[in-house]
Amino acid sequence: MDRRNFFKLAAVGGGVVFMSGLYNSVQAYTGSDFYFVQLSDVHWGYAGDANPEAKNTLRKAVESVNALPLQPDFIVFTGDLTHTTDDPVERRRRMAEFKEIIGGLKVRNIHFLPGEHDASLDAGAAFKEYFGVTSYAFDHKGVHFIALDNVSDSGARLGEKQLAWLEADLAKQAKDAPIVVLTHRPLFDLAPKWDWATRDGAQAIALLMPYTNVTVFYGHIHQEHHHMSGHIPHHAAKSLIFPLPAPGSQDKRTPLPWNADKPFQGLGFREIDVDGKTSSMVEFPVAKA
């Protein structure tokens, strides 16, 4: 079964689906280069009414990914692996438990980004102990990936040092190179009063603008969302703990209430299919109802 037909079948049985021609193209996907899975906002350690199944949701997500008929080349977690705590011992315990659970994934090639719940209280110190550096770049089958850290700074900034690193990294790429940016917070001002923004994100977008094939994938807002900065698309992923309201739709960003009749509603993970010219995305529920 080729990738295109697999996604057609998955769309029928997998729930909410979003198909998009990225990289400034709407032509049909014709290759089978690779695909990866994005998971975000696990918040391991959360306990509350917004998800009474909090201790089981991550395990269900692992089972769902492992059950995919074709396993991805790699998996990326775009932040908030754990729920915030003021206790550094508890923070590390949650990270250790998270790492143990995702050790059950069949795919061993996994990339991690911090969220503010993981990193803002200690500038990413505990995260680095368990998952490595917070910003980095790597290449996979002709696509250049850039992971940015806009959470370790408690002021929600990338910072001058990281922006300089980004500029230097981009300078090595051709202007039409396929580039995927991974981050936790949105780089654009989605809802600043809710902390759904990066204070110097506009500088990062300006550095990316000369490159014609850039796509940004992020988390943080606990819902699917799509935005364009000029020719650069930004796509938010669902959460694995609880959904949040639409940007700016109410005074506070309180979690949407748990629906016992439809458990795990609004939660899910995303597959991203890439061939360097076009991409497609499929949103899956974390577990079938």
Side-chain angles (χ1 to χ4, degrees):
M1 182 184 297
D2 62 24
R3 294 293 304 156
R4 188 178 177 188
N5 286 330
F6 166 66
F7 277 113
K8 285 182 179 178
L9 291 177
V12 172
V16 180
V17 179
F18 176 77
M19 302 293 286
S20 173
L22 306 181
Y23 302 125
N24 304 317
S25 174
V26 294
Q27 60 185 333
Y29 180 81
T30 58
S32 58
D33 289 42
F34 71 95
Y35 85 103
F36 66 96
V37 164
Q38 179 191 8
L39 301 101
S40 198
D41 297 273
V42 174
H43 288 262
W44 181 255
Y46 168 83
D49 294 339
N51 187 342
E53 290 283 337
K55 291 186 177 181
N56 299 320
T57 307
L58 176 57
R59 292 183 173 90
K60 287 182 177 293
V62 169
E63 292 172 1
S64 297
V65 174
N66 283 343
L68 293 172
L70 296 174
Q71 288 295 293
D73 279 32
F74 62 87
I75 294 169
V76 59
F77 284 88
T78 48
D80 280 352
L81 315 181
T82 60
H83 199 62
T84 192
T85 173
D86 293 332
D87 183 347
V89 175
E90 175 64 14
R91 183 179 306 124
R92 286 166 172 81
R93 187 184 70 81
R94 292 178 183 181
M95 290 184 178
E97 289 180 349
F98 169 89
K99 198 168 185 179
E100 180 181 2
I101 294 169
I102 61 104
L105 286 163
K106 293 178 181 178
V107 175
R108 310 311 299 170
N109 186 5
I110 305 176
H111 300 277
F112 302 96
L113 280 73
E116 79 282 0
H117 282 252
D118 306 307
S120 64
L121 294 181
D122 64 358
F127 179 93
K128 291 175 184 177
E129 292 174 16
Y130 284 87
F131 305 105
V133 295
T134 59
S135 58
Y136 52 90
F138 64 95
D139 295 289
H140 189 81
K141 295 185 178 180
V143 178
H144 188 62
F145 289 82
I146 302 172
L148 295 177
D149 175 4
N150 54 6
V151 298
S152 292
D153 182 319
S154 59
R157 295 180 177 86
L158 294 160
E160 293 182 3
K161 183 176 180 180
Q162 188 173 190
L163 287 168
W165 170 82
L166 173 62
E167 183 175 20
D169 182 76
L170 288 170
K172 303 172 187 176
Q173 306 302 315
K175 288 296 189 287
D176 62 349
I179 297 171
V180 171
V181 177
L182 304 167
T183 185
H184 182 66
R185 284 189 176 98
L187 293 176
F188 61 96
D189 288 348
L190 176 57
K193 72 174 184 178
W194 284 5
D195 187 38
W196 289 4
T198 302
R199 292 188 180 180
D200 52 3
Q203 296 179 56
I205 293 173
L207 292 174
L208 293 165
M209 274 296 176
Y211 298 84
T212 58
N213 294 325
V214 177
T215 304
V216 181
F217 295 104
Y218 67 101
H220 190 56
I221 70 169
H222 293 217
Q223 63 196 275
E224 183 183 350
H225 188 272
H226 311 285
H227 172 82
M228 296 294 294
S229 295
H231 62 277
I232 299 175
H234 306 251
H235 304 290
K238 294 178 181 177
S239 167
L240 290 178
I241 191 64
F242 49 72
L244 288 170
S249 60
Q250 55 191 51
D251 289 338
K252 297 182 179 179
R253 60 178 194 276
T254 52
L256 298 181
W258 176 264
N259 185 344
D261 294 329
K262 296 181 179 179
F264 311 107
Q265 185 178 33
L267 309 184
F269 64 94
R270 174 161 61 198
E271 294 184 6
I272 300 147
D273 200 12
V274 183
D275 74 346
K277 294 180 181 179
T278 62
S279 289
S280 62
M281 298 188 301
V282 179
E283 302 280 358
F284 284 92
V286 66
K288 291 183 179 179

Coordinates of all heavy atoms in Angstrom, one line a residue, residues 1-10 29-33 35 69-70 271 273:
M1 N 0.9 -1.2 0.0 CA 0.0 0.0 0.0 C 0.9 1.2 0.0 O 1.8 1.4 0.8 CB -0.9 0.0 1.2 CG -1.8 1.2 1.3 SD -2.8 1.2 2.8 CE -3.7 -0.3 2.7
D2 N 0.7 2.2 -1.0 CA 1.5 3.4 -1.0 C 1.0 4.4 0.0 O -0.1 4.2 0.6 CB 1.6 4.0 -2.4 CG 0.2 4.4 -2.9 OD1 -0.7 4.7 -2.1 OD2 0.1 4.5 -4.1
R3 N 1.8 5.4 0.3 CA 1.5 6.3 1.4 C 0.2 7.1 1.1 O -0.6 7.3 2.0 CB 2.6 7.4 1.5 CG 3.9 6.8 2.0 CD 3.8 6.3 3.4 NE 3.4 7.4 4.3 CZ 2.8 7.2 5.4 NH1 2.5 6.0 5.8 NH2 2.4 8.2 6.2
R4 N 0.0 7.4 -0.2 CA -1.2 8.2 -0.5 C -2.5 7.4 -0.2 O -3.5 7.9 0.4 CB -1.2 8.6 -2.0 CG -2.3 9.6 -2.4 CD -2.1 10.0 -3.8 NE -3.1 10.9 -4.3 CZ -3.3 11.2 -5.6 NH1 -2.5 10.8 -6.5 NH2 -4.3 12.1 -5.9
N5 N -2.5 6.2 -0.6 CA -3.7 5.3 -0.4 C -3.9 5.0 1.1 O -5.0 5.0 1.6 CB -3.7 4.0 -1.2 CG -3.9 4.3 -2.6 OD1 -4.6 5.2 -3.0 ND2 -3.3 3.5 -3.5
F6 N -2.8 4.9 1.8 CA -2.8 4.7 3.3 C -3.5 5.8 4.0 O -4.4 5.7 4.8 CB -1.4 4.5 3.8 CG -1.4 4.6 5.4 CD1 -2.0 3.6 6.1 CD2 -0.7 5.6 6.0 CE1 -2.0 3.7 7.5 CE2 -0.7 5.7 7.3 CZ -1.3 4.7 8.1
F7 N -3.1 7.1 3.6 CA -3.7 8.2 4.2 C -5.2 8.3 3.9 O -6.0 8.8 4.7 CB -3.0 9.5 3.8 CG -1.8 9.7 4.7 CD1 -0.5 9.6 4.1 CD2 -1.9 10.0 6.0 CE1 0.6 9.8 4.9 CE2 -0.8 10.2 6.8 CZ 0.5 10.1 6.3
K8 N -5.6 7.9 2.6 CA -7.0 8.0 2.3 C -7.8 7.0 3.2 O -8.9 7.4 3.7 CB -7.2 7.6 0.8 CG -6.8 8.6 -0.2 CD -7.1 8.2 -1.6 CE -6.8 9.2 -2.6 NZ -7.0 8.7 -4.0
L9 N -7.3 5.8 3.4 CA -7.9 4.9 4.3 C -7.9 5.4 5.8 O -8.9 5.3 6.5 CB -7.3 3.5 4.2 CG -7.5 2.8 2.9 CD1 -6.7 1.5 2.9 CD2 -8.9 2.5 2.6
A10 N -6.8 6.0 6.2 CA -6.7 6.5 7.5 C -7.7 7.6 7.7 O -8.3 7.7 8.8 CB -5.3 7.0 7.8
Y29 N 0.6 14.2 -3.7 CA 1.8 13.6 -3.2 C 2.1 12.4 -4.1 O 1.3 11.5 -4.4 CB 1.6 13.1 -1.8 CG 2.8 12.4 -1.2 CD1 3.9 13.1 -0.7 CD2 2.9 11.0 -1.2 CE1 5.0 12.4 -0.2 CE2 4.0 10.3 -0.7 CZ 5.0 11.0 -0.2 OH 6.1 10.4 0.3
T30 N 3.4 12.3 -4.6 CA 3.7 11.2 -5.6 C 4.9 10.4 -5.1 O 5.2 9.4 -5.8 CB 4.1 11.9 -6.9 OG1 5.2 12.8 -6.7 CG2 2.9 12.6 -7.5
G31 N 5.4 10.6 -4.0 CA 6.6 9.9 -3.5 C 6.3 9.1 -2.2 O 5.1 9.1 -1.8
S32 N 7.3 8.5 -1.7 CA 7.1 7.8 -0.4 C 8.3 8.0 0.4 O 8.8 7.1 1.0 CB 6.8 6.3 -0.6 OG 7.8 5.7 -1.4
D33 N 8.9 9.2 0.4 CA 10.1 9.5 1.1 C 10.1 9.2 2.6 O 10.9 8.3 3.0 CB 10.5 11.0 0.9 CG 10.9 11.2 -0.6 OD1 10.3 10.7 -1.5 OD2 11.9 11.9 -0.8
Y35 N 7.6 9.8 6.6 CA 6.7 10.6 7.3 C 7.1 10.5 8.8 O 7.8 9.6 9.2 CB 5.3 10.2 7.1 CG 4.8 9.0 8.0 CD1 3.9 9.2 9.0 CD2 5.1 7.7 7.6 CE1 3.4 8.2 9.8 CE2 4.6 6.6 8.4 CZ 3.8 6.9 9.5 OH 3.3 5.8 10.2
P69 N -0.2 1.0 10.8 CA 0.3 0.0 10.0 C 1.6 0.2 9.3 O 2.4 -0.7 9.0 CB -0.8 -0.1 8.9 CG -1.5 1.2 8.9 CD -1.4 1.7 10.4
L70 N 2.0 1.5 9.2 CA 3.3 1.9 8.7 C 4.0 2.7 9.8 O 3.4 3.8 10.2 CB 3.3 2.6 7.4 CG 2.7 1.8 6.2 CD1 2.6 2.8 5.0 CD2 3.6 0.7 5.9
E271 N 0.2 12.9 12.0 CA 1.2 12.4 11.1 C 1.5 13.4 10.0 O 0.6 14.1 9.5 CB 0.7 11.1 10.4 CG 0.5 9.9 11.3 CD 0.1 8.7 10.5 OE1 0.1 8.8 9.2 OE2 -0.2 7.7 11.1
D273 N 3.5 13.8 6.3 CA 4.1 13.1 5.2 C 4.9 14.1 4.4 O 4.4 15.2 4.0 CB 3.0 12.5 4.4 CG 3.5 11.3 3.5 OD1 4.7 10.9 3.7 OD2 2.7 10.9 2.6

